[in-house]
PDB file of all heavy atoms in Angstrom:
ATOM      1  N   CYS C  45     132.275 179.188  87.968  1.00 92.00           N
ATOM      2  CA  CYS C  45     133.189 179.313  86.838  1.00 92.00           C
ATOM      3  C   CYS C  45     134.020 180.573  87.024  1.00 92.00           C
ATOM      4  O   CYS C  45     133.601 181.511  87.703  1.00 92.00           O
ATOM      5  CB  CYS C  45     132.425 179.359  85.523  1.00 92.00           C
ATOM      6  SG  CYS C  45     131.308 180.775  85.396  1.00 92.00           S
ATOM      7  N   SER C  46     135.167 180.589  86.388  1.00 90.00           N
ATOM      8  CA  SER C  46     136.115 181.643  86.730  1.00 90.00           C
ATOM      9  C   SER C  46     136.994 182.048  85.561  1.00 90.00           C
ATOM     10  O   SER C  46     137.037 181.398  84.526  1.00 90.00           O
ATOM     11  CB  SER C  46     136.969 181.118  87.889  1.00 90.00           C
ATOM     12  OG  SER C  46     138.189 181.769  87.952  1.00 90.00           O
ATOM     13  N   SER C  47     137.727 183.140  85.787  1.00 90.00           N
ATOM     14  CA  SER C  47     138.694 183.570  84.777  1.00 90.00           C
ATOM     15  C   SER C  47     139.862 182.611  84.680  1.00 90.00           C
ATOM     16  O   SER C  47     140.647 182.676  83.745  1.00 90.00           O
ATOM     17  CB  SER C  47     139.238 184.964  85.133  1.00 90.00           C
ATOM     18  OG  SER C  47     138.403 185.952  84.612  1.00 90.00           O
ATOM     19  N   ASP C  48     139.967 181.709  85.640  1.00 91.00           N
ATOM     20  CA  ASP C  48     141.059 180.730  85.566  1.00 91.00           C
ATOM     21  C   ASP C  48     140.706 179.593  84.606  1.00 91.00           C
ATOM     22  O   ASP C  48     141.361 178.558  84.581  1.00 91.00           O
ATOM     23  CB  ASP C  48     141.416 180.191  86.975  1.00 91.00           C
ATOM     24  CG  ASP C  48     140.320 179.317  87.558  1.00 91.00           C
ATOM     25  OD1 ASP C  48     139.301 179.067  86.870  1.00 91.00           O
ATOM     26  OD2 ASP C  48     140.457 178.866  88.698  1.00 91.00           O
ATOM     27  N   ARG C  49     139.631 179.796  83.832  1.00 93.00           N
ATOM     28  CA  ARG C  49     139.212 178.894  82.752  1.00 93.00           C
ATOM     29  C   ARG C  49     138.579 177.597  83.204  1.00 93.00           C
ATOM     30  O   ARG C  49     138.327 176.716  82.379  1.00 93.00           O
ATOM     31  CB  ARG C  49     140.366 178.553  81.816  1.00 93.00           C
ATOM     32  CG  ARG C  49     141.024 179.774  81.278  1.00 93.00           C
ATOM     33  CD  ARG C  49     142.307 179.431  80.609  1.00 93.00           C
ATOM     34  NE  ARG C  49     142.907 180.650  80.102  1.00 93.00           N
ATOM     35  CZ  ARG C  49     143.865 180.701  79.215  1.00 93.00           C
ATOM     36  NH1 ARG C  49     144.331 179.566  78.733  1.00 93.00           N
ATOM     37  NH2 ARG C  49     144.354 181.841  78.821  1.00 93.00           N
ATOM     38  N   SER C  50     138.374 177.461  84.503  1.00 93.00           N
ATOM     39  CA  SER C  50     137.804 176.186  84.939  1.00 93.00           C
ATOM     40  C   SER C  50     136.367 176.341  85.382  1.00 93.00           C
ATOM     41  O   SER C  50     135.912 177.438  85.719  1.00 93.00           O
ATOM     42  CB  SER C  50     138.619 175.632  86.103  1.00 93.00           C
ATOM     43  OG  SER C  50     138.376 176.421  87.256  1.00 93.00           O
ATOM     44  N   VAL C  51     135.682 175.200  85.352  1.00 95.00           N
ATOM     45  CA  VAL C  51     134.337 175.124  85.896  1.00 95.00           C
ATOM     46  C   VAL C  51     134.412 174.103  87.022  1.00 95.00           C
ATOM     47  O   VAL C  51     134.909 172.999  86.811  1.00 95.00           O
ATOM     48  CB  VAL C  51     133.332 174.643  84.824  1.00 95.00           C
ATOM     49  CG1 VAL C  51     131.957 174.411  85.441  1.00 95.00           C
ATOM     50  CG2 VAL C  51     133.235 175.654  83.697  1.00 95.00           C
ATOM     51  N   LYS C  52     133.938 174.480  88.184  1.00 94.00           N
ATOM     52  CA  LYS C  52     134.015 173.526  89.299  1.00 94.00           C
ATOM     53  C   LYS C  52     132.626 173.198  89.827  1.00 94.00           C
ATOM     54  O   LYS C  52     131.733 174.039  89.806  1.00 94.00           O
ATOM     55  CB  LYS C  52     134.853 174.108  90.443  1.00 94.00           C
ATOM     56  CG  LYS C  52     136.289 174.326  90.045  1.00 94.00           C
ATOM     57  CD  LYS C  52     137.167 174.585  91.255  1.00 94.00           C
ATOM     58  CE  LYS C  52     138.566 174.922  90.804  1.00 94.00           C
ATOM     59  NZ  LYS C  52     139.499 175.010  91.907  1.00 94.00           N
ATOM     60  N   ILE C  53     132.496 171.962  90.282  1.00 95.00           N
ATOM     61  CA  ILE C  53     131.210 171.537  90.831  1.00 95.00           C
ATOM     62  C   ILE C  53     131.430 171.010  92.238  1.00 95.00           C
ATOM     63  O   ILE C  53     132.333 170.200  92.471  1.00 95.00           O
ATOM     64  CB  ILE C  53     130.574 170.438  89.958  1.00 95.00           C
ATOM     65  CG1 ILE C  53     130.397 170.952  88.533  1.00 95.00           C
ATOM     66  CG2 ILE C  53     129.232 170.015  90.533  1.00 95.00           C
ATOM     67  CD1 ILE C  53     129.822 169.931  87.586  1.00 95.00           C
ATOM     68  N   PHE C  54     130.607 171.489  93.163  1.00 93.00           N
ATOM     69  CA  PHE C  54     130.719 171.089  94.566  1.00 93.00           C
ATOM     70  C   PHE C  54     129.417 170.482  95.051  1.00 93.00           C
ATOM     71  O   PHE C  54     128.344 170.906  94.672  1.00 93.00           O
ATOM     72  CB  PHE C  54     131.018 172.305  95.453  1.00 93.00           C
ATOM     73  CG  PHE C  54     132.296 172.994  95.131  1.00 93.00           C
ATOM     74  CD1 PHE C  54     132.344 173.961  94.136  1.00 93.00           C
ATOM     75  CD2 PHE C  54     133.461 172.684  95.818  1.00 93.00           C
ATOM     76  CE1 PHE C  54     133.529 174.599  93.833  1.00 93.00           C
ATOM     77  CE2 PHE C  54     134.643 173.326  95.522  1.00 93.00           C
ATOM     78  CZ  PHE C  54     134.680 174.287  94.524  1.00 93.00           C
TER      79      PHE C  54
END
Side-chain angles (χ1 to χ4, degrees):
Chain C
C45 62
S46 157
S47 273
D48 69 3
R49 306 168 180 196
S50 71
V51 173
K52 296 193 185 188
I53 302 178
F54 299 85

